Amino acid sequence: MWRGFSHLLKKDFRMMISGKFFLLALLSLCLYSGYINFVYAKLDQKIFPVCLYDPQGRLPDVSEYVTKLDSREALKAACADQYSVGIDLSHAEPEIYMLSCGMETTDHYRMAWGEAILHGNVDGQAERIGANTREMKNRREITAEFLFFELTAVGFLGLASMLFKEKQMGVIRVHGILPVCRGVFILSKLLLLLCSDLVFTILLTVINLGVSEAVEALVGVLLQAGILSLIMALVGFLCAVRLPDFKQFSLFYLILAVFVTTPVFLAGQTGMKWNWIVYHPMYHLFEAMKGAFFLTPMTKAPYYLACAGTIILLFLLSYQTLNREMAKEG
Amino acid sequence: MIEARNLTFSYGKEKQALHGLDFSVEDGEIFGFLGPNGSGKSTTQKILTGILKGYGGRVSLFGEDMQSGHTQAFFQKIGVLFEFPYLYTNLSALDNLHYFASFYPREQRRDAEELLDELEFKKDFLNKPVSSYSKGMRQRVSMARALISNPRLLFLDEPTSGLDPSGAVLFRKIIEKEREKGTTVFLTTHNMLDADLLCDRVAFISNGTIAVLDTPRNLKEKNSNHSIVIDYLYQGRREEQTIEAPDMKAGIPFAYDELISVHSQEPTLEDMFIQYTGRGLS
């Protein structure tokens, strides 16, 4: 069995090279790293502008972040952007005036910032978020997102396109009469894709987090990347063998990308709150990946049991689908 | 070598493909399995090669029941040529053969280059990718793939399809050579010429049942009307007469100046197929 396995591995490796799989992965790595290092790491959210209406001059020493206004109407006009925070000191009780931006969490931060200004409790912008500098927080956040995207969308597409080629050539059927276990045909592809994804993960993490931070996070990150890689590779395998042509596969890919991963990104990265998102399996994988990058690894046993169960189930389904493909007419 | 008893198979509940086939193939025999498209030929071959499971009845190969599972040892003993040349088009002929051969024990493998040479494969193309080959060249590489493991039992599905006449003659020679070596050949085809020239016995399959099983010679003899058509010249005129074969015992029973041709009116294998199955081959 293992003699056959090594030959399958070698052949799949050649197929990946001829399909420019590694070149695409390298390009993705350069693109992601370029964006992280030259754009995202330097990004900082613009501080919420604070406007003050204080006709009695009750707050003589105001912070540099505050803009003084001379009427209630001017305050209302300044806060119409749903971003600025207004403080009205014209009454006995100070009043915070702001229009909701639609996201509860962001509104809460705006209000907290307004109150901090009012109490003179301002030391400037935050320099540390948790245990991270602002830049490191940005780096961890975006690297987790890019890795998740690469493994769910790009890796999935890479394996499926390789398998579609084999399907079109009809060679999958030849493997049905070779003295090699059919499961090994799936395993060699999985192992190769897993290794490729893990190498990609290491490089992306080291390049964008730096060596010492990467070393700290890598064990957890590799574990999550491995789980995600196996699940997505098996889904890609299943779809490529099951779906009759590349058109249908493209449609499925679109559905996966738009309807499956988009809500996960929105729920995980913006203030959007959906109660149902906890039932979305990809959301937990995304959160676990982010947790690993922020050194708060997922420790819940049911999560790992569910992942293991999913991988076994997908493998059995792939095996069954492969047997059916081998018996198909030419 | 092969024994099938009451072999049945259904695709789903309502589509029964095989209705209780009974046949056996002897060691070293070339057995032709003839039938039109959709008659059950490929289904039978897939069951015999271990690709399809869930059949009814009993099938044994190499003296072992197929239900007991297909071990690697079973697959090491068979070679299969599919109807279409399934090859890695990004690899060369040699790379394809080396890859497929690598699954068999070293002592069992044949030399890929020698085999391709025997199949008159153009040497210039040995290291070029299969995507640049003609259909005939791909069929040659596929045949080499089926033979590379020195199989004891060879399944051939339309072996001469896609070949020019000289290629078809070459393939028939190769199949004959395999028989001489003792290889058993299960030939699935609707090419009556291949069946007639190669097979020791043929089975006509139609709608999932075997209509008749015999040697091509017996089939033709049994259904011959034993008449002979003689074309001749007599007193400067060209004439034709049909006589019964026993009338020839004492020579040609009429006067003639010169014989032009003598034709026995034996039916062809295709005529026999239509007679037994009521269907043409397409």
Side-chain angles (χ1 to χ4, degrees), chain A residues 1 3-4 7-8 11 14-15 18 166 169-171 173-182 326-330, chain B residues 11 42 46 49-53 72 75-76 80 82 84 86-91 95 99-100 102-105 145:
Chain A
M1 178 176 139
R3 181 188 62 220
H7 295 297
L8 276 165
K11 181 265 304 172
R14 285 183 75 168
M15 287 287 289
S18 76
E166 286 193 289
M169 292 188 273
V171 286
R173 280 166 219 174
V174 181
H175 290 84
I177 51 99
L178 291 177
V180 62
C181 172
R182 290 174 191 178
M326 283 173 173
K328 262 190 186 170
E329 290 293 327
Chain B
Y11 291 102
S42 299
K46 280 175 192 167
T49 51
I51 294 172
L52 266 188
K53 291 184 177 84
Q72 289 196 32
F75 288 111
Q76 277 176 14
V80 182
F82 293 91
F84 300 101
Y86 298 139
L87 296 163
Y88 282 97
T89 51
N90 57 323
L91 303 182
D95 286 343
Y99 167 65
F100 288 116
S102 65
F103 295 98
Y104 299 90
R145 184 194 53 69

Side-chain angles (χ1 to χ4, degrees), chain A residues 5 15 18-19 25 35 54 94 124 146 172 248 267 290 294 324 330:
Chain A
F5 186 62
M15 287 287 289
S18 76
Y35 180 77
D54 183 14
F146 278 148
I172 290 180
Q248 286 200 17
K290 255 180 96 175
F294 281 94
R324 212 172 294 157

Side-chain angles (χ1 to χ4, degrees), chain A residues 97-110:
Chain A
Y97 176 88
M98 58 185 211
L99 294 180
S100 173
C101 68
M103 283 186 272
E104 207 181 314
T105 325
T106 312
D107 285 345
H108 176 75
Y109 292 145
R110 289 166 70 200

Side-chain angles (χ1 to χ4, degrees), chain A residues 233-305:
Chain A
L234 282 165
V235 173
F237 188 96
L238 202 56
C239 294
V241 179
R242 197 91 180 88
L243 297 173
D245 53 44
F246 203 73
K247 258 187 201 172
Q248 286 200 17
F249 179 80
S250 309
L251 188 70
F252 180 81
Y253 177 71
L254 200 71
I255 291 169
L256 184 96
V258 175
F259 296 108
V260 178
T261 55
T262 310
V264 171
F265 276 120
L266 289 176
Q269 286 309 107
T270 67
M272 283 190 182
K273 264 195 170 179
W274 292 312
N275 293 332
W276 57 264
I277 201 76
V278 292
Y279 301 109
H280 196 310
M282 299 304 279
Y283 175 75
H284 298 285
L285 291 165
F286 179 63
E287 286 297 299
M289 177 71 83
K290 255 180 96 175
F293 269 98
F294 281 94
L295 307 176
T296 52
M298 167 70 80
T299 51
K300 290 175 189 162
Y303 166 82
Y304 291 104
L305 283 175

Side-chain angles (χ1 to χ4, degrees), chain B residues 31-43:
Chain B
F31 186 84
F33 212 57
L34 280 64
N37 294 334
S39 57
K41 293 188 311 256
S42 299
T43 305

